[in-house]
């Protein structure tokens, strides 16, 4: 069965051109022009990845992303013409797994989609217990004291990578390559926002993290036992 994409784009010419290019890459593409229509379609149409323009009439892309993230792990790539840092970060904070900026290059977007689908598969690692957390890779679920903590698939992959290297510094570049499979040429916003999202979910005090520690100028490490100081 072909991978099905939901393309949410209000510009008809962009939607048609991008839809055609993605179908040429053997994707099944459902095109909708608004956030409202996207939410309607998703109630009864299974899709594998959402391609979501941020600037939409009515319900904008940020709100659609937030609604999809309230209880779901559907992979989301936001599409934005806004290259300003604050706008990209807003899309990631809303729950997007990745982002691309306009003007779009179909080959780059295709590569991002396929990388996202690869990391949506099972990680094939044993159950890991670290820092009071239990990671179950086959199910891509996280538990603390028997209670599940909801993570997106990308958040789980990132946490699993850090947990597999507990008490070892992992550079930003290594995490970007291992989790997103891309070179971001010094742009670490994608990683840093996901780290913040993870901290909000697993840290007792996210503003003074004790589990995912920053190693300034290098990257991050996960403490096998919660620390009292963020490096």
């Amino acid at each position: 069965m072909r991978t099905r994409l939901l393309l949410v784009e209000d510009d008809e010419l962009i939607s048609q051109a991008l839809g055609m290019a993605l179908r040429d890459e053997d994707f099944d593409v459902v095109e909708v022009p608004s956030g409202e229509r996207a939410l309607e379609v998703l109630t009864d149409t299974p899709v594998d990845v959402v391609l979501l323009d941020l600037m939409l009439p009515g319900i904008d892309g940020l709100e659609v992303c937030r609604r999809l993230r309230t209880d779901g792990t559907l992979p989301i790539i936001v599409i934005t013409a806004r290259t300003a840092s604050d706008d990209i970060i807003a899309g990631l904070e809303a729950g997007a797994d990745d982002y691309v900026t306009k003007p779009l290059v179909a080959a780059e977007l295709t590569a991002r989609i396929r990388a996202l689908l690869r990391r949506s598969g099972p990680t094939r690692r044993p159950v890991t217990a670290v820092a009071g957390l239990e990671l179950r890779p086959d199910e891509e679920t996280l538990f603390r004291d028997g209670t599940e903590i909801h993570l997106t698939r990308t958040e789980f992959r990132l946490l699993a990578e850090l947990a597999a290297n507990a008490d070892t510094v992992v550079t930003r570049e290594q995490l970007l390559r291992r989790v997103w499979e891309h070179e971001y040429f010094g742009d670490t916003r994608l990683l840093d926002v996901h780290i913040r999202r993870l901290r909000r979910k697993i840290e007792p005090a996210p503003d003074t993290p004790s589990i995912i520690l920053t190693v300034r100028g290098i990257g991050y490490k996960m403490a096998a036992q919660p620390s009292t100081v963020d490096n």
Side-chain angles (χ1 to χ4, degrees):
M1 184 178 295
R2 295 200 302 176
T3 298
R4 179 176 292 164
L5 311 175
L6 178 63
L7 173 58
V8 191
E9 169 60 68
D10 65 313
D11 187 308
E12 186 175 356
L13 291 178
I14 292 177
S15 183
Q16 289 178 351
L18 189 55
M20 184 180 301
L22 291 170
R23 290 185 185 96
D24 285 344
E25 294 290 340
D26 205 33
F27 293 116
D28 181 11
V29 184
V30 178
E31 301 169 31
V32 297
S34 68
E36 290 88 343
R37 183 61 185 141
L39 294 172
E40 290 173 4
V41 167
L42 287 169
T43 61
D44 56 15
T45 303
V47 302
D48 300 291
V49 178
V50 176
L51 307 176
L52 180 62
D53 187 20
L54 289 183
M55 299 180 68
L56 295 170
I59 301 175
D60 68 14
L62 291 176
E63 180 60 24
V64 173
C65 195
R66 292 188 192 101
R67 293 191 188 187
L68 295 181
R69 276 292 168 260
T70 54
D71 57 1
T73 61
L74 183 62
I76 300 170
I77 298 176
V78 293
I79 300 171
T80 178
R82 306 164 174 173
T83 57
S85 181
D86 288 350
D87 293 317
I88 290 172
I89 288 173
L92 296 172
E93 287 281 11
D97 296 278
D98 204 345
Y99 72 90
V100 292
T101 56
K102 296 178 180 178
L104 294 171
V105 178
E108 178 188 357
L109 180 56
T110 296
R112 299 283 184 98
I113 293 167
R114 288 179 173 152
L116 182 53
L117 289 169
R118 282 194 295 272
R119 67 178 181 265
S120 295
T123 56
R124 296 182 176 84
R125 287 175 173 165
V127 172
T128 301
V130 59
L133 304 169
E134 181 182 326
L135 291 82
R136 302 180 185 177
D138 286 348
E139 306 166 14
E140 292 197 330
T141 52
L142 174 69
F143 290 84
R144 175 190 282 129
D145 299 326
T147 300
E148 183 175 357
I149 299 173
H150 174 74
L151 299 181
T152 68
R153 292 169 176 173
T154 300
E155 288 167 349
F156 186 89
R157 283 288 170 122
L158 177 56
L159 184 62
E161 191 63 45
L162 290 166
N165 297 278
D167 284 335
T168 301
V169 179
V170 187
T171 70
R172 285 181 169 85
E173 292 74 17
Q174 288 171 330
L175 288 169
L176 285 167
R177 286 197 302 269
R178 294 173 187 176
V179 178
W180 283 271
E181 302 183 22
H182 291 294
E183 299 288 351
Y184 280 79
F185 304 105
D187 182 358
T188 62
R189 291 173 295 187
L190 185 65
L191 172 61
D192 294 339
V193 171
H194 275 79
I195 290 288
R196 287 203 297 272
R197 281 165 43 182
L198 266 180
R199 282 173 168 165
R200 287 198 294 266
K201 293 180 179 183
I202 70 171
E203 294 278 1
D207 292 336
T208 55
S210 60
I211 298 173
I212 299 178
L213 308 179
T214 300
V215 182
R216 301 196 187 282
I218 303 175
Y220 297 96
K221 72 174 180 179
M222 185 171 182
Q225 296 296 328
S227 172
T228 57
V229 179
D230 184 16
N231 294 13

